Amino acid sequence: DLGSSIAETHEEVKPIKTYFNQVPSSDILSRFSDLSRAMRVISYIFRFYKATHPALKQTFNYTSIVLQHSEIKDVKNRLVVICQSLYFPEYSLLLNGLTLPRKSCILPFNPFIDSNGFLRINGRLSHCPTLSYEERFPKLLPYSSPFTRLYLELLHKISIHGQNALLIR
């Protein structure tokens, strides 16, 4: 009887190790040469996160693979806030309701943080009732950030290679 002489074997179970590497948010934009492509990629990352996160996947209801305008707009707004908080140390001071130091380079702009978390300029344009809120209180973007460079390049392409007068928006 051969069945009784064969020893019973068990499948070997090995633990699976996973590693997570968090990339700084300022680094991800330096990998792209086009802001619209970067925003689409990040939108798909957020969509994947919402589809797989245990607390968020019950409310996940995207039926199409095509991104919605609201998703891309949300990513752009998040990138603006992240850019401002990384490049302006005054952002955290204003967020906590503290006053800016006298040597701050953005103090002459009389900055404030609005209800959406944007760092905005409060200047003479705020007294003009015919302008929209975005025009009266423009967002403050740092000169040296990859987001600002990509955003201005996108505006330049949208305006069909317009000059500086068309980019002020």
Side-chain angles (χ1 to χ4, degrees):
D1 187 19
L2 290 174
S4 62
S5 65
I6 297 176
E8 195 172 315
T9 60
H10 296 284
E11 193 173 316
E12 182 181 2
V13 178
K14 291 185 176 182
I16 299 173
K17 295 180 182 180
T18 58
Y19 297 98
F20 176 73
N21 186 11
Q22 187 173 5
V23 179
S25 57
S26 63
D27 186 42
I28 194 165
L29 289 179
S30 63
R31 297 171 182 245
F32 292 96
S33 61
D34 184 27
L35 184 63
S36 60
R37 180 177 172 88
M39 289 190 300
R40 285 192 314 271
V41 168
I42 295 170
S43 296
Y44 280 119
I45 292 170
F46 276 120
R47 185 181 273 193
F48 175 78
Y49 173 74
K50 290 175 186 175
T52 57
H53 192 273
L56 299 174
K57 67 180 174 182
Q58 285 81 20
T59 60
F60 183 79
N61 59 358
Y62 296 109
T63 57
S64 173
I65 198 167
V66 179
L67 289 171
Q68 297 175 359
H69 175 69
S70 61
E71 292 178 278
I72 295 174
K73 185 177 177 184
D74 182 47
V75 165
K76 182 184 128 197
N77 290 340
R78 285 178 185 239
L79 288 174
V80 169
V81 170
I82 289 170
C83 176
Q84 289 176 336
S85 63
L86 284 174
Y87 285 86
F88 293 120
E90 296 89 352
Y91 185 88
S92 61
L93 294 174
L94 290 171
L95 196 61
N96 295 325
L98 302 173
T99 58
L100 297 180
R102 293 184 131 183
K103 293 186 178 184
S104 170
C105 62
I106 65 170
L107 186 62
F109 299 123
N110 194 15
F112 70 98
I113 295 180
D114 69 357
S115 60
N116 295 323
F118 296 124
L119 183 63
R120 294 187 177 270
I121 297 172
N122 187 7
R124 291 184 293 176
L125 290 176
S126 64
H127 303 296
C128 185
T130 59
L131 296 177
S132 70
Y133 180 78
E134 289 282 330
E135 293 169 330
R136 288 185 293 145
F137 305 104
K139 296 172 190 152
L140 187 59
L141 293 175
Y143 177 78
S144 60
S145 76
F147 174 78
T148 305
R149 180 183 55 80
L150 291 173
Y151 186 62
L152 290 176
E153 286 176 6
L154 178 66
L155 291 177
H156 181 69
K157 288 177 189 174
I158 289 173
S159 66
I160 311 169
H161 303 286
Q163 299 299 319
N164 291 342
L166 294 175
L167 291 181
I168 300 173
R169 186 130 203 259

